[in-house]
Amino acid sequence: MDGDKKTIGYEVLFRDGPNNTFPEIDPELATSRLLSDHFLSTHYKTLGDHLGFVNFPYKSLINRIPTLFPSESLVVEILEDCEPTKELLDAVKEMSELGYKLALDDFIPSPEWKSFYPYISIIKFDIKLVSILRAKTFMRSVKKLDIEFLAEKVETHEEFNQAKAAGFHYFQGYFFSRPELIQKKSLEPSFLTVVSLCKEISRQNIDYDAIEQLVAKDVSLSYKLLTYVNSSVYVRTKIQSFKQALVYLGEKRLRKFVSLVAIASTEENSKPDYLYSLSIQRARHCELIYSKCNIKQQIEEGSAFLTGMFSLLDSLLDQPLDALVEEMPIGESVKSALVNGEGHLGDILTLAIAYEKAEWDKVTQLASNISIQEDDLSESYDEALVWTTELLSVVS
């Protein structure tokens, strides 16, 4: 993210299922498979206008593998274990002249890299390895060069603020998904209406009359619904009633619409945009995990979707999650999963989060607990990414 917490790119990491993590395969093979199987298919589509940061080992760099891919959407990360040889320098010069952005990953200042600086666009500092103060000193020493700096492993808003003050341009880490401020305030009626809507659209058989009554309570929601439907290229005559609009949408598009409105209803300008898309993506991922595991009979239809969607509410509303869910009209199993990670829903949510963070040992154990296959888990994640991207592109 940039200093305004707007997403500028994603680091695209290789993973080959819970049981075959990166350290177990050759780095060159990992990069090749990442680019061919993922960067050119699912992840490339989901990048949109954002940059894709991809790690390239030494051999891939000297063989100019990055030049096989479009320069405008790719940031070539030079791994920290690469030797600063003349051979590598020649490759870096050539790729820089071709218009590729090159980044030094997990950089630790060293004189051997000085000749590379004129061709480097971004330097990434892991602030757990190189202190913000030391990084600041280095940034000052090369301020005449056209280099931008990225702080990695930014876990708290305090670290974000410190790194920003030190002169970093970009920030990577989980600080964006943690509350900045914890305070007690009541939920607005309009938000509770949206929660009730989410509960209704998560049912197997949608009750359009119940949804119509909920929509009619909120002027803003009513306006968004009619605008969304009437903006469709397939509408020949303007739709005037809520019921007509709901029936026209159908179950699939209605669920998409409510999902987006639910997240957007919590929006504040200070919140990172990625929080909203992550909430929707996680909801869909949890739903797909539920559909593929062997515990369906013990979970109410739609509960997994709600659990994923509301799992970031504490960060979106800057309130304790336990206080939020207490006021929400959702089932006890969803509340227990959100607050304490309990039950089968808790397992599904924890698994989804572990997969997002590539915590493979944890993923392996949790996947075994709920009897979901590795391939199904991987496919579910990719499908959730694509589903979210399509949803946001259609409604934005």
Side-chain angles (χ1 to χ4, degrees), residues 39-107:
F39 194 71
L40 290 181
S41 55
T42 301
H43 291 290
Y44 188 80
K45 288 187 291 184
T46 57
L47 285 175
D49 296 328
H50 300 111
L51 295 170
F53 289 71
V54 179
N55 293 324
F56 285 89
Y58 185 84
K59 287 183 181 179
S60 293
L61 292 167
I62 62 175
N63 288 329
R64 279 65 167 178
I65 296 299
T67 62
L68 298 174
F69 302 90
S71 60
E72 62 271 12
S73 60
L74 177 66
V75 176
V76 179
E77 291 200 11
I78 302 170
L79 286 173
E80 65 275 12
D81 59 1
C82 288
E83 291 291 329
T85 63
K86 183 181 183 304
E87 191 176 32
L88 180 61
L89 179 59
D90 290 340
V92 166
K93 282 182 181 179
E94 183 179 326
M95 288 186 284
S96 176
E97 290 168 358
L98 290 172
Y100 287 87
K101 286 181 175 291
L102 293 111
L104 293 175
D105 188 31
D106 289 344
F107 184 65

Side-chain angles (χ1 to χ4, degrees), residues 260-274:
L260 187 64
V261 170
I263 297 304
S265 68
T266 68
E267 186 168 358
E268 297 176 17
N269 292 332
S270 63
K271 292 301 174 188
D273 53 355
Y274 186 58

Side-chain angles (χ1 to χ4, degrees), residues 105-153:
D105 188 31
D106 289 344
F107 184 65
I108 296 179
S110 170
E112 289 81 6
W113 287 99
K114 190 172 182 179
S115 57
F116 286 77
Y117 296 162
Y119 313 101
I120 299 299
S121 300
I122 299 172
I123 290 180
K124 301 178 69 175
F125 282 108
D126 181 338
I127 63 172
K128 299 294 188 286
L129 297 176
V130 177
S131 70
I132 292 176
L133 181 60
R134 185 183 175 191
K136 180 180 180 180
T137 301
F138 176 82
M139 288 188 284
R140 285 179 174 175
S141 71
V142 295
K143 62 182 179 181
K144 293 182 180 180
L145 297 174
D146 189 21
I147 299 176
E148 294 181 306
F149 296 90
L150 187 153
E152 292 185 281
K153 303 289 178 64

